[in-house]
Amino acid sequence: MDWDKLRIFHAVADAGSLTHAGDKLNLSQSAVSRQIRALEESLGAILFHRHARGLILTEQGELLFDATRSMSKRLEAAAARIRDSEEEVFGELRVTTTTGFGTMWLAPRLPKLYEKYPNLKVDLMLEERVLDLPMREADVAIRMKEPSQADLIRKKLMNVQMRLYASRDYLDREGEPEEISDISEHRLISQNTRSAQVAAGALLTQHLMTFNPRSLLTVNNYFGVLQAVLNNLGIGILPDYLAQDFPAMVRVLPDLESAPVPTFLAYPEELRHSQRIAAFRDFVQDEIIAHRKQLRELEQV
């Protein structure tokens, strides 16, 4: 098959329109249409249904689009490896992690990474969905569980545990619980157990619910829980990696915590020699070491 025609087909299938694909490719609509007709003739198959709202892939078109999408991802990976210099870190690095960890731990530390590598461009994708690294949905991931795919390089960073925190103003006003049953006298702030989250956090929340908190606030992410705690609304269930950056929070019921949640950094095997990946991996590992040291010091106070 003609590679150029496949490139045009992929652009049309991705855009769903001859006009939009032409704009992207800097070709006229008629030129794009001719190339698609020629490809269909060479394959002996119709690839698109023409519709008033645009183009819809046929079954044969879907098969070809799956192939060109895979080709595109692999070409992107190859281009990224070619662009990587042995001496300089530059270019785009797509990083995915959870909303909570990315917003509250990773993003505040990125100035240190940019200070060292000013030509690096980080695309930070924060969502609970696990993106497919081998299919190049992202270059590197920080995940709150060990990746299951075999063709990934993984590095354990740390264990995260869910603990109870409140502001000093709230505890001065409402009193500090001395045992778990005292939760019945307080407002509990947590992620909604139906929200995407680590299982250990949901289990701790469910356990605390059995003690019938006086009041309840549920949020669909940890950033909202944190803001509620900092604004003196109650006792919140939060990951322990926040204790270092928010020293105004007081740990409540220090003997109570979730099971440890292993946190991993992972990236595709084909990016093993990427200088951008190496720079980001080393940066995160250094920050984790410093974080763990400070967390130990906080716990000893």
Side-chain angles (χ1 to χ4, degrees), residues 155-172:
K155 168 73 176 177
K156 185 176 180 181
L157 298 174
M158 62 178 174
N159 284 325
V160 172
Q161 290 182 285
M162 308 304 298
R163 294 172 174 174
L164 296 182
Y165 297 94
S167 68
R168 174 46 61 193
D169 287 346
Y170 173 83
L171 295 175
D172 288 345

Side-chain angles (χ1 to χ4, degrees), residues 2 13 31 151 169 176 213 251 274 295 300:
D2 187 313
D151 50 352
D169 287 346
E176 189 165 346
R251 187 172 176 191
S274 166
L295 198 59
Q300 290 168 3

Side-chain angles (χ1 to χ4, degrees), residues 135-148:
M135 286 302 295
R136 303 287 290 142
E137 288 187 318
D139 298 315
V140 60
I142 299 176
R143 294 177 176 169
M144 302 299 148
K145 63 177 181 179
E146 184 168 6
S148 58

Side-chain angles (χ1 to χ4, degrees), residues 170-237:
Y170 173 83
L171 295 175
D172 288 345
R173 187 181 75 225
E174 302 292 337
E176 189 165 346
E178 296 181 0
E179 54 188 45
I180 192 168
S181 59
D182 292 339
I183 289 293
S184 62
E185 302 301 321
H186 292 270
R187 178 178 297 112
L188 184 66
I189 308 167
S190 71
Q191 271 206 272
N192 189 305
T193 53
R194 295 186 299 276
S195 300
Q197 59 182 300
V198 294
L203 288 172
L204 179 59
T205 301
Q206 291 165 357
H207 178 57
L208 288 165
M209 293 289 196
T210 64
F211 293 92
N212 299 314
R214 172 173 56 83
S215 178
L216 188 65
L217 171 65
T218 57
V219 190
N220 67 347
N221 62 65
Y222 288 125
F223 182 73
V225 176
L226 172 66
Q227 292 304 308
V229 169
L230 294 176
N231 284 281
N232 314 316
L233 274 177
I235 297 173
I237 303 172

Side-chain angles (χ1 to χ4, degrees), residues 18 33 36-37 40 46-52 54-56:
L18 293 172
S33 180
I36 294 300
R37 283 200 303 272
E40 288 179 325
I46 301 298
L47 301 174
F48 295 98
H49 292 303
R50 276 67 176 174
H51 191 276
L55 299 175
I56 301 172

